[in-house]
Amino acid sequence: MFDGERDGRLQRLVNSAKRSFATRGFHATSVSLIVQEAGIARGTFYLHFDNKLHLFQSLLDSSLQNLTDQIKPISLEPGDPHPLEQISDNLTRVLDLVLADRDLSAILLNQTSSMSEVVESRLYDFYQQVADMIESSLVLGISVDLVRPCDTRLVAYSLMGSVKEVVQQMIIAPREEANVEETVQELLAFGLRAVLKEGQMSFLHERDRSRTAGVKAGR
Amino acid sequence: MFDGERDGRLQRLVNSAKRSFATRGFHATSVSLIVQEAGIARGTFYLHFDNKLHLFQSLLDSSLQNLTDQIKPISLEPGDPHPLEQISDNLTRVLDLVLADRDLSAILLNQTSSMSEVVESRLYDFYQQVADMIESSLVLGISVDLVRPCDTRLVAYSLMGSVKEVVQQMIIAPREEANVEETVQELLAFGLRAVLKEGQMSFLHERDRSRTAGVKAGR
Amino acid sequence: MFDGERDGRLQRLVNSAKRSFATRGFHATSVSLIVQEAGIARGTFYLHFDNKLHLFQSLLDSSLQNLTDQIKPISLEPGDPHPLEQISDNLTRVLDLVLADRDLSAILLNQTSSMSEVVESRLYDFYQQVADMIESSLVLGISVDLVRPCDTRLVAYSLMGSVKEVVQQMIIAPREEANVEETVQELLAFGLRAVLKEGQMSFLHERDRSRTAGVKAGR
Amino acid sequence: MFDGERDGRLQRLVNSAKRSFATRGFHATSVSLIVQEAGIARGTFYLHFDNKLHLFQSLLDSSLQNLTDQIKPISLEPGDPHPLEQISDNLTRVLDLVLADRDLSAILLNQTSSMSEVVESRLYDFYQQVADMIESSLVLGISVDLVRPCDTRLVAYSLMGSVKEVVQQMIIAPREEANVEETVQELLAFGLRAVLKEGQMSFLHERDRSRTAGVKAGR
DNA sequence: TATGAATGAGAGTTCATTCAT
DNA sequence: GATGAATGAACTCTCATTCAT
């Protein structure tokens, strides 16, 4: 979405809006500012969007959709990659996406309140869905005796919160040495230990073997 | 702060501001609204605060101060309570405070951007300090071989994020059965497993013995 | 209405609005213009009226009310003045009022369309009521064989139209010699001849006798 | 005018403009709306008219010209139809025209103010000319002792006002049974009685005789 | 001729802030 | 201290008009 016409007015409009929404927030971003930074006329804004809120919602929706597309439920079907691999891939894709468009991501993380109810509930619903997916995985893990019994909702929120915070910090003040692969491994190590049943930590190492095997096979 | 004059104009002003900032956000909260809900005159507002932003900053500062007061660094001095006890107490105090003034807490969690740079950096600094404290504890734990080696900054953010998210969910949609003590125990179980060195999980149980002992001794 | 505070801001506001609405019409009258001519600040406008339309409606309502108050149904009760006298008095009062506030009257006559439906139907209803009253009088007159049989609705509109047009011309380009009493007599002579039954024209002269008598008696 | 090219763009443009001006008024009719209803492009509008006002003026001028063409001065030349016949024919032609293009007529009656001075004075001049013609006839009638002495200007306005109001009501809410011929007869009966000298009412009946005669002779 | 994306002046309205009372 | 009428800068949005295609 918003990708055609490399340097058309619409593209410039969307980009300057994203940047300003991300850094200043919705209210502090005036239409005047957006069009000024985009180098277009005030009226042109309303050729493309009904109003400021509509533009914001478009950005939000497209952003949420992109994110949702990256997160795939963990599957235990035979032949599928190791669950750890799937989690890791999910995290990697999400971090890649988030870092690729920091402006958009900043909006997701910060603008939680005070524009329209529609926006608010859209964001709320999204995070609830993510929490739902995490919780499902936890329930599944408990049922196969891999995950320790716990308040699955609360733990789901905790896991989600860990990722959100790390992402936010990466966006705000990117650490030079930051590297997605390492970050994903740290997050995995953190999250898995937090939820796996004691004595199941060996689960962490299976993957390494299978990966090595896979790599060997791949050659 | 803001505590004298039980039902004076200032108190009413502050309360209605807190409520409105928390639910509507900074921008959607007009001075008109605040003074109207407080039942005072428009001009009176400016007798107490330079402007709307100043009031917001006052609330924020007082709130951050309160929180900071609740969080005590973990001490390993002999005679001090078990470190777990200290962490647990910190969490309990924070949750108690947060739930006692949801309005103020909502502000801390949501209004991250888009007013003044001062406000933004104040919040940023606060969270960095909290992360600093957590990180120090992690470093300490690693040095005594209790905590597994890890990217301490990233893990500190993860731990902080877990708590922030759980708190946010408790504020937004308080779960009926939610109870601070249980929440703290879940968070502890989550966080400790995530960072403790394998084989050190017995550390979790020491406390129970010492608590029981303490209770016995206390009688 | 709008009469207190001789030279207060509200009064200046209302006056300049009336003048501008009357001469430029509703759409060509901007709020900027009104406040500029009134010598007040833009925001002050909204202290007194919700918006431009609301101000216009207020003026219209107050104007219609004033007019309605001047028009009294013809009564044939014994002891009441001669019907002609009543008609004449009605006309005189209306003309006096209209000439006293030409701006407001111009609004009534010209601004028939294209603002809100509320305004439009308010004006429409008013003129229909006036036509209703005229028609009732005609029906009554026919029943006592004073008025010739006719399409009473059409004749009512004709009579109303005569007065409206004369009034409009008096407002637009006041004829120097114009004088309410003479105008009323001309309108009466016109209207009565138009509707009275042939041979009932003597009805016109009865009044003169009764007036003279009254004057004599008064001395 | 505007008659060539039956279904060309210009014709569609003019028609949709008329309709919209009549129902919404000048200001509430946007160029967007006109071109949209006409099914042509925005820019094409400006190929035919300098601007919105110019289009309105064109419509007004054409409309006024049409009306003017229908109104013929009363002639007393021997051999000409009876004066009443001429008045009646004038009225009939005007009503026919007005009812044939209600959109245009609505514009004439309602949009009296608030666009350009040119438009305003064009309308004003038109009505003054009509009043002039009526007044001339009155003066003539007085000179031959047919019409009662009166304030001829005021009576001219009254007569014009009668017709305008009846026309307006016919346009706004056409009465089912309304029929041009009957309406003309009612208006004539109204107007003649209002101005004829007492005792000259027989003048009204002469015509019937002459018409009957004419019809007879015509066969 | 015809198009419609682009323009920008200007409209109505809001609201943080001031100040005479 | 307390008031609230007054202010005016700044906002969102509209729309008549232009012009490159």
Side-chain angles (χ1 to χ4, degrees), chain A residues 60-92:
Chain A
L60 191 69
D61 285 347
S62 117
S63 173
L64 290 180
Q65 191 53 56
N66 285 346
L67 263 187
T68 304
D69 291 346
Q70 307 310 319
I71 308 176
K72 305 206 190 305
I74 306 306
S75 154
L76 296 184
E77 298 295 306
D80 280 338
H82 189 282
L84 261 192
E85 203 69 40
Q86 296 181 44
I87 298 175
S88 169
D89 288 348
N90 274 342
L91 269 176
T92 303

Side-chain angles (χ1 to χ4, degrees), chain D residues 186-204:
Chain D
E186 282 282 354
L187 280 171
L188 267 184
F190 178 91
L192 287 173
R193 275 168 230 268
V195 304
L196 287 187
K197 199 155 187 170
E198 263 166 283
Q200 290 294 347
M201 226 53 79
S202 60
F203 177 75
L204 270 70

Side-chain angles (χ1 to χ4, degrees), chain C residues 41-190:
Chain C
R42 196 175 283 252
T44 306
F45 181 96
Y46 294 92
L47 243 43
H48 297 290
F49 300 96
D50 290 345
N51 51 49
K52 195 172 72 154
L53 184 57
H54 179 213
L55 166 53
F56 187 85
Q57 279 189 30
S58 297
L59 291 174
L60 191 69
D61 285 348
S62 116
S63 172
L64 290 180
Q65 192 53 55
N66 285 344
L67 263 187
T68 305
D69 291 347
Q70 306 311 318
I71 308 176
K72 305 205 191 305
I74 305 306
S75 153
L76 295 185
E77 297 295 307
D80 281 338
H82 189 281
L84 262 191
E85 202 69 40
Q86 296 181 45
I87 298 174
S88 169
D89 288 349
N90 273 342
L91 269 176
T92 303
R93 280 192 300 265
V94 166
L95 287 195
D96 280 341
L97 183 63
V98 154
L99 294 176
D101 200 339
R102 286 157 197 265
D103 288 338
L104 223 43
S105 308
I107 293 172
L108 293 188
L109 291 162
N110 294 324
Q111 313 298 330
T112 35
S113 74
S114 76
M115 35 213 77
S116 78
E117 300 215 338
V118 173
V119 163
E120 230 157 311
S121 75
R122 202 104 83 190
L123 256 182
Y124 178 78
D125 291 348
F126 170 75
Y127 283 123
Q128 291 302 325
Q129 278 172 32
V130 173
D132 287 346
M133 283 183 55
I134 298 176
E135 193 178 9
S136 307
S137 300
L138 290 174
V139 170
L140 183 64
I142 292 172
S143 75
V144 299
D145 222 28
L146 207 58
V147 170
R148 65 182 173 91
C150 60
D151 180 334
T152 50
R153 194 70 194 168
L154 193 151
V155 169
Y157 285 144
S158 297
L159 288 167
M160 184 169 72
S162 306
V163 176
K164 278 173 73 174
E165 185 70 30
V166 168
V167 164
Q168 178 147 14
Q169 297 293 342
M170 290 175 85
I171 290 172
I172 295 177
R175 298 193 288 166
E176 292 302 327
E177 75 274 26
N179 137 328
V180 169
E181 190 56 29
E182 285 172 15
T183 303
V184 168
Q185 291 316 312
E186 282 283 354
L187 279 171
L188 266 184
F190 178 92

Side-chain angles (χ1 to χ4, degrees), chain D residues 44-210:
Chain D
T44 306
F45 181 97
Y46 292 90
L47 249 40
H48 296 288
F49 300 96
D50 291 345
N51 52 47
K52 195 172 78 156
L53 185 57
H54 178 215
L55 165 54
F56 187 84
Q57 279 187 29
S58 297
L59 290 174
L60 191 68
D61 285 346
S62 119
S63 173
L64 290 180
Q65 191 53 54
N66 285 344
L67 263 186
T68 305
D69 290 347
Q70 308 309 319
I71 309 177
K72 306 205 189 305
I74 306 305
S75 155
L76 295 185
E77 297 297 305
D80 280 339
H82 187 282
L84 259 194
E85 202 69 40
Q86 296 181 45
I87 300 175
S88 168
D89 287 350
N90 273 343
L91 269 177
T92 304
R93 280 192 301 268
V94 166
L95 287 195
D96 279 341
L97 182 63
V98 154
L99 293 177
D101 201 341
R102 287 156 195 266
D103 288 340
L104 227 41
S105 309
I107 293 172
L108 293 188
L109 290 162
N110 292 323
Q111 315 295 330
T112 38
S113 76
S114 75
M115 33 212 79
S116 77
E117 300 214 339
V118 173
V119 164
E120 228 157 315
S121 75
R122 202 102 84 191
L123 256 183
Y124 178 78
D125 291 347
F126 169 75
Y127 283 123
Q128 290 303 325
Q129 278 172 34
V130 173
D132 286 347
M133 284 183 56
I134 299 175
E135 191 177 8
S136 308
S137 301
L138 290 174
V139 169
L140 184 64
I142 292 172
S143 72
V144 298
D145 221 28
L146 208 59
V147 170
R148 64 180 174 90
C150 60
D151 179 334
T152 52
R153 193 69 192 168
L154 194 152
V155 168
Y157 286 145
S158 296
L159 288 167
M160 183 170 72
S162 306
V163 177
K164 278 172 71 174
E165 185 70 31
V166 168
V167 164
Q168 178 146 15
Q169 297 293 342
M170 289 175 87
I171 291 172
I172 295 177
R175 298 194 287 166
E176 293 302 327
E177 75 274 25
N179 148 318
V180 169
E181 191 56 29
E182 285 173 15
T183 304
V184 168
Q185 291 315 314
E186 282 282 354
L187 280 171
L188 267 184
F190 178 91
L192 287 173
R193 275 168 230 268
V195 304
L196 287 187
K197 199 155 187 170
E198 263 166 283
Q200 290 294 347
M201 226 53 79
S202 60
F203 177 75
L204 270 70
H205 309 299
E206 277 176 40
R207 182 178 56 136
D208 298 327
R209 285 196 300 278
S210 67

Side-chain angles (χ1 to χ4, degrees), chain A residues 1-16 38 40 44 47-49:
Chain A
M1 194 180 187
F2 305 140
D3 284 328
E5 46 190 304
R6 260 305 65 163
D7 256 275
R9 282 171 169 77
L10 176 56
Q11 196 56 42
R12 296 213 307 278
L13 187 63
V14 168
N15 286 337
S16 86
I40 63 169
T44 306
L47 243 43
H48 297 290
F49 300 97

